[in-house]
Amino acid sequence: MTPLQYTLLQLLADGRFHSGEQMACHAGVTRAAVWKALQGLRAYGIDMHAVSGRGYSLVNGFELLDTNAIVGAMSSATRSALHSLTLLPTVDSTNAWLMRQGEEGGTTACVAEHQTAGRGRRGRRWCSPFGSNLYLSLRCRFDEGMGRLAGLSLAVAIAVVRTLHEMDVKGVGVKWPNDIYWQERKLGGILLEIAGESAGPCSVVVGIGLNVAMPRMEGEMIDQPWTDLASIRPGLSRNQLAGRMLHHLLEVMAEFKCHGLALFEQEWREVDWLYGKPLRLLQPDGEVNGIGRGIAPDGSLLVEVSGKLQRHTFGEVSVRLQDASA
Ligand code: BTN
């Protein structure tokens, strides 16, 4: 998205009609440039009414992300724990962007309206159309060592669940280690990446992607069952969601640093999507079938195979339900 397109969108986000002349004057460009920029917005799935004598308005209204609204949804304690929040109209990936930033001397976050190369786990692409979903990353120092990162990724899933529960989204499950599910469909995902040195103290970038209102065309390209919040609990504000997500994320990070995964065991049990289900575990050396039996204290997956409990660590296996493609 060009800076001009983003400027016009900010103007149109009030849902009213704006004339070509008014927009040209506001942006300091010609009417022809405005017209061309508006045409280009269609490529982002943004449609406009054009009415002669009145000008242009957005067909479905639009809530653009807004840093003041996001920060305003946090508590004063979590707000002061955050060094900076950057809003990017478009970026390759919010995780990659934070990874490129140096240590700013504190916990930093960024949100984006659009990702051109959104990253999923296992090198997959994360579908990231403009203005539709939540793409949020947090970078913070992590002195506890890499060995604890697997447990951290489960705790982050609990932060997402807390946010969704607070927004009255019921029936959310977590597929180990950190896929967010709703009724057998993926609603969101989490990607942890290490910035800088991997040995000893490091910086960790926590990326959260949540489908809020996935455009139909983009959704058709996703190769697994998915859902979005618009289908479960319509009308949620992305700014409120981003602010509360950051709030819970910062709280969970602090809790995890003090108490480790043990603090989240009960909450995990309540949302464990794999518990008691017949599973297929895909490993480089073959496939194992078993029943999900929760998690071990270090966050590894417990699976009952022929009456015996096996532990499977993060990154080593890919888990599927025996009777589904998820
Ligand atoms: C998964 O595969 O389930 C993890 C998806 C993580 C997507 C989020 S969107 C914000 C952040 N930036 C990225 O490029 N990826 C994560």
Side-chain angles (χ1 to χ4, degrees), residues 134-250:
L134 184 67
Y135 320 117
L136 177 154
S137 298
L138 181 84
R139 174 176 173 152
C140 56
R141 205 178 147 77
F142 193 73
D143 292 331
E144 288 68 13
M146 272 184 65
R148 300 265 308 272
L149 283 183
L152 176 64
S153 78
L154 275 70
V156 170
I158 296 296
V160 176
V161 170
R162 285 183 186 175
T163 310
L164 293 172
H165 282 174
E166 188 183 84
M167 307 200 96
D168 212 22
V169 180
K170 302 197 175 85
V172 178
V174 182
K175 179 186 169 212
W176 182 90
N178 52 21
D179 284 344
I180 310 300
Y181 269 71
W182 190 82
Q183 293 193 354
E184 321 292 305
R185 291 171 173 272
K186 187 157 167 170
L187 176 63
I190 294 163
L191 179 68
L192 259 64
E193 297 185 85
I194 298 166
E197 291 296 307
S198 60
C202 56
S203 277
V204 62
V205 174
V206 175
I208 298 175
L210 206 57
N211 300 333
V212 179
M214 184 69 80
R216 196 174 43 84
M217 293 258 286
E218 305 278 346
E220 277 168 10
M221 287 172 337
I222 302 177
D223 61 357
Q224 58 179 316
W226 62 271
T227 188
D228 61 11
L229 287 173
S231 329
I232 304 169
R233 171 97 176 61
L236 284 182
S237 149
R238 280 190 310 139
N239 285 307
Q240 180 75 10
L241 190 64
R244 296 311 293 164
M245 188 70 81
L246 269 176
H247 166 85
H248 286 294
L249 195 50
L250 286 159

Side-chain angles (χ1 to χ4, degrees), residues 5-286:
Q5 284 171 324
Y6 188 61
T7 303
L8 297 179
L9 207 47
Q10 283 175 305
L11 195 64
L12 288 162
D14 63 6
R16 298 189 180 156
F17 275 93
H18 295 270
S19 69
E21 196 177 338
Q22 186 196 356
M23 285 191 276
C25 183
H26 175 83
V29 296
T30 63
R31 282 174 64 177
V34 166
W35 186 84
K36 200 167 162 223
L38 293 180
Q39 295 307 307
L41 283 177
R42 295 223 157 85
Y44 295 93
I46 299 166
D47 280 331
M48 253 146 309
H49 293 295
V51 177
S52 85
R54 295 187 75 190
Y56 302 88
S57 80
L58 296 174
V59 170
N60 296 317
F62 215 86
E63 185 202 18
L64 278 174
L65 291 174
D66 177 287
T67 38
N68 289 332
I70 295 173
V71 168
M74 299 167 71
S75 73
S76 54
T78 50
R79 214 177 296 148
S80 58
L82 190 61
H83 181 261
S84 67
L85 168 65
T86 305
L87 165 58
L88 303 159
T90 183
V91 68
D92 52 353
S93 141
T94 53
N95 267 29
W97 188 85
L98 274 182
M99 299 270 283
R100 289 194 293 268
Q101 308 306 304
E103 285 274 354
E104 275 192 51
T107 301
T108 52
C110 80
V111 284
E113 292 284 12
H114 172 231
Q115 296 186 119
T116 54
R119 308 213 274 232
R121 290 204 299 122
R122 301 179 187 283
R124 295 171 77 159
R125 169 183 171 270
W126 188 255
C127 184
S128 311
F130 185 91
S132 324
N133 300 319
L134 184 67
Y135 320 117
L136 177 154
S137 298
L138 181 84
R139 174 176 173 152
C140 56
R141 205 178 147 77
F142 193 73
D143 292 331
E144 288 68 13
M146 272 184 65
R148 300 265 308 272
L149 283 183
L152 176 64
S153 78
L154 275 70
V156 170
I158 296 296
V160 176
V161 170
R162 285 183 186 175
T163 310
L164 293 172
H165 282 174
E166 188 183 84
M167 307 200 96
D168 212 22
V169 180
K170 302 197 175 85
V172 178
V174 182
K175 179 186 169 212
W176 182 90
N178 52 21
D179 284 344
I180 310 300
Y181 269 71
W182 190 82
Q183 293 193 354
E184 321 292 305
R185 291 171 173 272
K186 187 157 167 170
L187 176 63
I190 294 163
L191 179 68
L192 259 64
E193 297 185 85
I194 298 166
E197 291 296 307
S198 60
C202 56
S203 277
V204 62
V205 174
V206 175
I208 298 175
L210 206 57
N211 300 333
V212 179
M214 184 69 80
R216 196 174 43 84
M217 293 258 286
E218 305 278 346
E220 277 168 10
M221 287 172 337
I222 302 177
D223 61 357
Q224 58 179 316
W226 62 271
T227 188
D228 61 11
L229 287 173
S231 329
I232 304 169
R233 171 97 176 61
L236 284 182
S237 149
R238 280 190 310 139
N239 285 307
Q240 180 75 10
L241 190 64
R244 296 311 293 164
M245 188 70 81
L246 269 176
H247 166 85
H248 286 294
L249 195 50
L250 286 159
E251 254 187 15
V252 158
M253 295 297 292
E255 289 171 356
F256 184 83
K257 283 178 180 182
C258 279
H259 308 285
L261 195 57
L263 189 77
F264 306 94
E265 255 169 40
Q266 176 62 32
E267 278 172 284
W268 181 269
R269 236 172 276 141
E270 285 163 13
V271 293
D272 185 349
W273 191 71
L274 297 180
Y275 193 88
K277 292 185 178 160
L279 310 179
R280 281 194 305 139
L281 305 179
L282 313 178
Q283 295 167 299
D285 56 349

